[in-house]
Amino acid sequence: MNNKKTPIWSVLSKSVTVGSLDNLLSVFNIIEEIQVDLDKSKLPVEARGKNVNKFGLGIDLVLTVLWEREVNDLIEESLEYKLKFVDPLGVELISQEIKEIFPSKKRRKRMMHNMNSLVFSEASGRYYFKILSMKGEELMSTPVDVKVTIKD
């Protein structure tokens, strides 16, 4: 049996922990806004003077998503979806397919997506982490406001 699985909440933060004794989730330093400063003079020589419209930034983040399925089955099921990071203009900056297991005897599953870098465009505004079904149906989006400052 393949139950419908739905993300019911998500949060972007600097870190999370799960208690080893009580299994409680603690979320630290929730991220609502990111300031991105790009100094083009510090780019590699071959990139200077060129139109840089996408760039990577080292930043530690965790996107935590709580999934729920309709029936508390005894069986193990696959949990497959796409995770995308999109800029304010709708440009897809990151896309990845996730394949996990929904454990038996569990109705809910926490997914922690650890990231140590992100790709940004030159656009300031609201970026989104989007969770989509494998067929491309949007299931959830998590916004983060990004302010991009570029120095030549």
Side-chain angles (χ1 to χ4, degrees):
M1 180 178 191
N2 199 10
N3 288 313
K4 182 177 180 185
K5 298 165 208 71
T6 309
I8 56 175
W9 61 256
S10 63
V11 65
L12 185 65
S13 65
K14 288 296 281 178
S15 64
V16 298
T17 61
V18 178
S20 61
L21 298 176
D22 55 16
N23 200 32
L24 292 176
L25 177 71
S26 297
V27 179
F28 302 99
N29 301 316
I30 293 173
I31 306 292
E32 297 170 354
E33 181 178 287
I34 299 173
Q35 175 68 42
V36 177
D37 298 312
L38 175 64
D39 185 346
K40 287 188 176 182
S41 69
K42 293 183 180 176
L43 290 173
V45 175
E46 61 275 7
R48 291 184 197 162
K50 293 185 178 176
N51 184 15
V52 177
N53 52 14
K54 289 184 188 177
F55 54 93
L57 177 69
I59 183 170
D60 291 324
L61 298 171
V62 181
L63 178 66
T64 304
V65 182
L66 180 65
W67 288 81
E68 185 173 70
R69 62 179 167 181
E70 290 178 340
V71 178
N72 191 8
D73 273 343
L74 297 176
I75 62 168
E76 213 174 67
E77 287 185 292
S78 67
L79 174 61
E80 298 180 8
Y81 57 97
K82 296 176 186 178
L83 177 62
K84 297 184 182 231
F85 187 57
V86 179
D87 81 358
L89 304 174
V91 176
E92 186 179 296
L93 301 170
I94 297 173
S95 180
Q96 137 180 52
E97 289 188 1
I98 310 293
K99 295 181 181 182
E100 285 289 329
I101 298 295
F102 215 117
S104 62
K105 300 180 184 177
K106 299 285 183 181
R107 185 158 184 201
R108 293 181 171 185
K109 178 174 177 64
R110 294 184 206 126
M111 292 294 301
M112 276 80 78
H113 301 280
N114 294 292
M115 296 166 262
N116 59 12
S117 66
L118 279 178
V119 175
F120 296 93
S121 68
E122 292 183 351
S124 288
R126 185 154 288 177
Y127 285 61
Y128 291 92
F129 287 95
K130 294 186 176 222
I131 296 174
L132 297 93
S133 71
M134 294 305 273
K135 294 178 182 175
E137 171 192 7
E138 186 173 320
L139 303 174
M140 173 177 277
S141 65
T142 306
V144 59
D145 291 328
V146 177
K147 293 183 180 179
V148 179
T149 305
I150 299 172
K151 179 181 170 188
D152 288 321

